[in-house]
Amino acid sequence: MPAHNLPVQQTSFEGRREEVAEIAARLADPSCRLLTLVGPGGIGKTRLALHAAADQLVNFADGVYFVPLSALTSADLIAPAIAGSLEIHVYGAEDPRLQLIQALRQKHLLLVLDNFEHLLEGTALLAEILAHASGVKILVTSRERLNIVEEWALTLTGLSYPDGDAGQTLETYSAIQLFARRARSVDHRFSLDENAEAVKAVCRWVQGMPLAIEIAAGWLRVMSCQQIAAQIPLDFDALTTPLRNLPERHRSMRTVFEYSWTLLSPLQQSILMRLSCFQGGFDLEAAQAVAGASLTHLAELADKSLIHRDPSGRYGLHELLRQFAAIKLQEAGENRSARDRHLSYFQNLVRQAEANQWGRLQVLWYDRLEAEFDNLRAALDWTLQSGQPEAGLSLAASLGWFFSERCFWSEGLNWLERALAAAPDAPPSLRAKALHSAAGLAGHLSDLERGSSLAAQSLDLAREIGDRWNIAWAQAHLALFPTDLASHEALLEDSLAIFRELNDIMGLAHTLVRRTFFAEEKHDHAYAETLVEEAALLSHQAGDRIISAWVLLIKGRSVQYRDRDLKQAARYFEESVRLFREARFHSALSDAIMYLAQAELILQHTSRAVQLYLEALSLHAQNWSTSLFLSQDLLAGLAGAALASGDLDRAATLLGAAHGLFATVDSSPEAVYESPSPYMLSLFQTRDAVRVQLGESAFAAAWAVGTAMIHEQAIAFALEGLSASDKTDPFDLPPKPSGSDLEPANHPASGNLLKAREREVLLMVAEGLSNREISDRLVLALPTVKWYINEIFSKLHVNSRTQAVAKARQLGLI
């Protein structure tokens, strides 16, 4: 075995299989002579280098040698340090560099140079060694790239950790393995199964950083795993260890980052501090506007492993580093000015997006807002923290259509209501706009009482000041909550007149579509056709996908139910699906796919119909459009598919569930259409065929099971019946809305922000229970538990269980 001086490792090596294989492959490549493992402090560069180097012993005849450089204060000391590790004697007046290179000329070995970032002026020595010693390869660890021609670089990120409810077992994630190993060394009684959620929360928060995971697990000597998970987001200095045999620079995350901080110029420090304002990443334009960062500045910080660039081109900071930089920003007294610049940038971005929400560029702008949604949340939150409520109200109101089209209904409504409560003295026109935007979101959530009240408030306020644009939109939104069909038709007609007068093409097109549905409901087909053709012309001229998709959906319904032309209907639905998919308007997409599935089922294209129903059901559940009629149609359609496949019990249960949902809206399948459509006739035929084939007694039993289901149970049943291959995504399903669920959201400072059931679920989250354990304890369907947790996240404005528990404790909710 060749010689080496690799230090013995006291703990097992976790994960990094891909990185180990990549290092081996690069070192085996004759053209790779210098490989740098680059990453921030605490990411595990040294540990990986030592593990990979040990695997290389058989490949280097003269050995593998480890050279620690962290204690060196000058690049002039690198050559003596290497010589000392190799036991090469340097003597006399001759330059130690020349003596070292001469000794290496005939050697076939691997040098592992650890912690090179503070000695970058010494890279010339490495180039000389490589030029004169052809058998030598060098593996370097550094927080910063060496940036010399000979360098190959491998950038390290955190260990793998579960991000969401993935199907993999915990033991497959190396971050989880590392936490568990360290935890058991601290407390032999530690059980990963009992602490699974808390461990996942810790690993997510530190984004798999090995040093942070080991430090966090060390706190088990005085805290529970759940307490650790709650404490870390609140206190950056919680990531500190008393272990005496760790290097000083690794005893806390603060010292890890402080060391990197000292290697920055004052300008780089200033830029990094301001970049901490960003949440969820940023692009070059935003970095320039908020932090004064040029592309060169970002490249310098990336070279130092302080920011990273993802495949989409966006930049980001590790969350722990972002927290550290935010502390520095606060200490420098620049927090308010930097966050005001952040707010100003995103106010301008949203104004541009709002100006382009109608027409050919709408999808590009909605996509951009979605990419920046974490930053928009941060900007909205800052307006409330910093006493700028009017700015927050303006920002939230301008995001109204984005909230609507990208299905951020509950969260958008919460932001709007918080902003309205915080800005009672804002200009009436702004309040009217925010009120009708909120009404539209309440409509999506089927919160009829709340939506009607918001729209009525908007209309009253707009009429008081004679604001015709807001009057038109308030009336158009109020018509979403019809109690008296005639009066609401009149509201829409007046809105159409105002939008024509103002030449507001977007308002006109949207209101034409809404008016068309009322005309169809009264079987005024000629007027409906006139309205939809006008909307089609406007959307075609503007290149607007969303209205065009609605127009095609309406046309498809018309030819299917009125003209009985199912093939033409399917063509309309196909195009509607394509446009909704391009716009990524998923709630409406599920409607369009469902109508296409209906047509295909009646046309006896059963296999395709089943796949379409499954996709529609998935989207419906994932985005949770609370339309009972859509749920009914999906359940009934799947019943038809079940009949076709011979699953009669399932067909009868689904039919019963669909019938039960009709009963909740005081209706029945036969009453939905005065002249039953081909689809409804097919539904009746399905019911009769299942009854005959199954037998009256068995049919009645299965039917009764279905009719006893509430809305969310029926959807959960339909999903649970799918094969594993059909379940491609987790679905978050809410419970059936009840009276208590229709109350307006409260301001976070209020003690009754969360409903009783939500607080109950949150307490169990704080205990570290998994979704399945909460489901079992409360006797709730698993999708219902997921929905409650999403509602808690939305109301507390957090993105994880750990953040939710920490925020709830701050507010005194638990």
Side-chain angles (χ1 to χ4, degrees):
M1 177 68 71
H4 73 88
N5 71 337
L6 299 178
V8 175
Q9 299 305 299
Q10 302 302 318
T11 58
S12 61
F13 182 77
E14 305 291 349
R16 300 287 195 194
R17 283 180 295 181
E18 291 181 6
E19 291 90 339
V20 169
E22 182 68 20
I23 293 169
R26 294 194 185 190
L27 291 177
D29 186 335
S31 60
C32 177
R33 302 278 312 288
L34 168 62
L35 175 59
T36 306
L37 305 186
V38 186
I43 208 68
K45 301 181 293 296
T46 300
R47 192 73 174 84
L48 174 61
L50 288 170
H51 182 82
D55 290 342
Q56 295 295 318
L57 288 171
V58 297
N59 298 325
F60 291 90
D62 294 311
V64 175
Y65 290 90
F66 178 72
V67 185
L69 304 175
S70 60
L72 272 57
T73 57
S74 169
D76 294 336
L77 301 176
I78 296 175
I82 296 174
S85 294
L86 272 66
E87 298 184 356
I88 295 172
H89 299 291
V90 177
Y91 53 87
E94 187 179 359
D95 187 343
R97 296 161 60 97
L98 298 178
Q99 294 185 58
L100 174 64
I101 292 170
Q102 183 63 34
L104 291 176
R105 282 182 183 276
Q106 304 304 318
K107 298 290 186 181
H108 180 224
L109 56 78
L110 174 66
L111 290 176
V112 182
L113 306 183
D114 188 42
N115 292 117
F116 205 93
E117 59 275 344
H118 62 302
L119 303 170
L120 294 177
E121 61 272 26
T123 53
L125 172 62
L126 306 191
E128 287 183 75
I129 291 173
L130 295 174
H132 295 94
S134 60
V136 173
K137 291 197 175 191
I138 304 174
L139 179 62
V140 175
T141 73
S142 176
R143 300 188 187 197
E144 183 171 355
R145 287 174 182 260
L146 308 188
N147 280 336
I148 58 177
V149 172
E150 297 84 355
E151 181 182 37
W152 290 41
L154 178 62
T155 300
L156 299 185
T157 57
L159 299 174
S160 63
Y161 58 92
D163 191 10
D165 289 330
Q168 296 174 252
T169 60
L170 283 183
E171 287 73 16
T172 62
Y173 297 99
S174 49
I176 301 291
Q177 294 172 8
L178 178 60
F179 187 100
R181 175 177 59 75
R182 175 67 178 132
R184 291 183 185 114
S185 73
V186 175
D187 181 357
H188 70 279
R189 298 164 299 179
F190 175 81
S191 166
L192 181 57
D193 289 340
E194 294 174 4
N195 295 281
E197 291 301 323
V199 174
K200 287 192 288 185
V202 170
C203 293
R204 287 180 192 135
W205 186 258
V206 303
Q207 297 179 354
M209 181 175 279
L211 179 60
I213 291 171
E214 294 214 40
I215 292 174
W219 278 105
L220 280 170
R221 68 191 189 279
V222 291
M223 287 194 286
S224 71
C225 203
Q226 290 71 31
Q227 290 172 322
I228 295 170
Q231 186 67 19
I232 288 174
L234 298 178
D235 182 5
F236 181 77
D237 287 321
L239 290 171
T240 302
T241 179
L243 292 177
R244 295 185 178 91
N245 61 343
L246 279 181
E248 182 63 34
R249 67 183 186 280
H250 281 172
R251 292 186 186 179
S252 75
M253 294 313 302
R254 183 182 287 274
T255 56
V256 167
F257 294 140
E258 283 284 2
Y259 176 66
S260 294
W261 186 258
T262 63
L263 301 177
L264 299 178
S265 70
L267 177 58
Q268 290 169 335
Q269 290 175 348
S270 178
I271 290 171
L272 187 62
M273 287 191 301
R274 293 171 188 156
L275 292 176
S276 71
C277 294
F278 291 105
Q279 300 272 7
F282 53 90
D283 58 21
L284 175 59
E285 178 188 308
Q288 289 172 330
V290 176
S294 67
L295 185 58
T296 299
H297 295 140
L298 295 180
E300 290 171 351
L301 293 175
D303 283 346
K304 294 177 182 294
S305 305
L306 296 175
I307 67 171
H308 57 268
R309 184 176 180 272
D310 65 30
S312 72
R314 288 176 64 78
Y315 300 91
L317 286 74
H318 189 285
E319 176 56 27
L320 293 178
L321 178 58
R322 193 197 66 76
Q323 287 182 62
F324 172 82
I327 291 170
K328 290 291 187 182
L329 185 68
Q330 189 77 43
E331 291 173 349
E334 296 183 26
N335 185 58
R336 184 175 187 102
S337 61
R339 295 193 67 176
D340 278 347
R341 283 195 298 273
H342 179 273
L343 171 61
S344 177
Y345 176 80
F346 285 103
Q347 284 175 316
N348 185 57
L349 183 74
V350 170
R351 279 192 291 269
Q352 294 179 65
E354 190 175 23
N356 287 280
Q357 63 192 1
W358 167 256
R360 300 182 189 282
L361 299 179
Q362 68 179 171
V363 175
L364 293 176
W365 277 99
Y366 284 152
D367 286 349
R368 186 166 182 186
L369 291 182
E370 193 158 3
E372 299 289 4
F373 198 27
D374 283 336
N375 279 312
L376 294 172
R377 289 180 174 116
L380 286 164
D381 192 57
W382 175 242
T383 65
L384 298 175
Q385 286 184 43
S386 60
Q388 303 179 70
E390 188 175 316
L393 185 61
S394 176
L395 185 59
S398 294
L399 286 168
W401 279 104
F402 167 71
F403 289 143
S404 174
E405 306 298 343
R406 287 299 166 93
C407 303
F408 294 106
W409 302 331
S410 181
E411 182 174 355
L413 180 56
N414 190 273
W415 280 118
L416 281 161
E417 291 189 326
R418 290 179 67 195
L420 282 162
D425 299 323
S429 59
L430 175 56
R431 287 186 60 81
K433 178 183 178 182
L435 284 163
H436 65 65
S437 296
L441 297 174
H444 281 303
L445 294 167
S446 293
D447 196 336
L448 307 185
E449 182 179 349
R450 188 176 181 182
S452 178
S453 173
L454 290 164
Q457 291 177 58
S458 176
L459 183 55
D460 289 344
L461 193 55
R463 283 173 172 168
E464 283 178 18
I465 59 174
D467 185 339
R468 292 183 61 69
W469 182 84
N470 272 316
I471 288 172
W473 273 117
Q475 291 179 156
H477 282 93
L478 188 58
L480 293 170
F481 313 99
T483 52
D484 175 359
L485 187 59
S487 66
H488 285 269
E489 285 180 328
L491 288 173
L492 285 172
E493 289 292 341
D494 191 44
S495 291
L496 289 173
I498 295 173
F499 284 130
R500 291 185 203 281
E501 172 193 325
L502 299 176
N503 196 32
D504 186 328
I505 305 304
M506 177 181 175
L508 179 59
H510 277 271
T511 308
L512 284 167
V513 168
R514 295 179 188 187
R515 181 68 183 90
T516 301
F517 284 107
F518 281 89
E520 281 194 335
E521 206 164 315
K522 292 184 67 175
H523 304 287
D524 190 349
H525 301 303
Y527 187 42
E529 188 170 339
T530 299
L531 293 166
V532 80
E533 288 303 330
E534 184 179 0
L537 179 62
L538 294 174
S539 61
H540 177 73
Q541 289 174 342
D544 186 276
R545 288 182 178 85
I546 292 174
I547 291 297
S548 295
W550 279 117
V551 164
L552 290 161
L553 184 61
I554 292 168
K555 287 185 174 182
R557 282 164 41 110
S558 177
V559 298
Q560 179 176 356
Y561 295 152
R562 190 180 72 225
D563 301 334
R564 309 293 198 258
D565 187 345
L566 291 167
K567 290 184 179 180
Q568 180 58 41
R571 286 191 284 271
Y572 280 133
F573 294 144
E574 286 273 15
E575 186 64 8
S576 178
V577 166
R578 183 184 70 80
L579 291 176
F580 277 133
R581 203 186 298 282
E582 287 180 0
R584 283 175 281 286
F585 188 10
H586 290 155
S587 66
L589 175 60
S590 60
D591 289 73
I593 294 173
M594 185 269 296
Y595 279 112
L596 178 58
Q598 290 177 354
E600 296 286 11
L601 186 61
I602 299 168
L603 289 167
Q604 298 183 345
H605 302 157
T606 307
S607 177
R608 180 152 195 251
V610 168
Q611 293 306 311
L612 289 166
Y613 274 123
L614 295 177
E615 184 180 0
L617 185 66
S618 299
L619 287 166
H620 178 55
Q622 188 173 17
N623 294 286
W624 193 249
S625 166
T626 51
S627 165
L628 291 175
F629 284 105
L630 178 59
S631 299
Q632 295 154 2
D633 286 349
L634 287 168
L635 294 170
L638 284 168
L643 170 64
S645 64
D647 193 344
L648 300 178
D649 280 324
R650 180 170 177 75
T653 301
L654 289 167
L655 288 166
H659 181 86
L661 294 185
F662 275 105
T664 66
V665 291
D666 195 25
S667 183
S668 66
E670 290 85 347
V672 173
Y673 300 103
E674 292 180 6
S675 176
S677 67
Y679 172 67
M680 296 308 298
L681 290 172
S682 176
L683 169 60
F684 305 151
Q685 292 166 0
T686 298
R687 180 190 60 193
D688 294 342
V690 173
R691 177 183 280 118
V692 169
Q693 294 182 43
L694 194 57
E696 191 63 43
S697 178
F699 177 84
W703 176 276
V705 170
T707 57
M709 294 178 179
I710 63 171
H711 192 184
E712 64 94 13
Q713 289 173 328
I715 298 299
F717 171 77
L719 287 172
E720 288 168 3
L722 306 182
S723 67
S725 62
D726 294 324
K727 290 183 178 179
T728 56
D729 296 303
F731 306 114
D732 297 323
L733 305 179
K736 178 181 176 183
S738 63
S740 62
D741 293 320
L742 303 182
E743 299 167 1
N746 298 288
H747 189 280
S750 170
N752 62 347
L753 171 63
L754 302 179
K755 302 181 184 72
R757 178 64 90 178
E758 290 166 347
R759 283 197 296 273
E760 195 173 10
V761 170
L762 183 56
L763 283 168
M764 294 183 187
V765 170
E767 288 181 42
L769 299 185
S770 67
N771 287 357
R772 175 62 67 187
E773 290 167 335
I774 296 172
S775 170
D776 293 342
R777 186 179 293 188
L778 295 179
V779 196
L780 290 174
L782 185 59
T784 305
V785 173
K786 291 182 179 180
W787 181 81
Y788 275 125
I789 290 175
N790 280 346
E791 283 293 284
I792 292 166
F793 286 2
S794 175
K795 290 181 178 182
L796 297 182
H797 306 290
V798 298
N799 302 309
S800 72
R801 286 168 162 255
T802 303
Q803 294 172 4
V805 173
K807 186 71 171 287
R809 285 179 174 147
Q810 280 183 323
L811 298 174
L813 297 175
I814 58 174

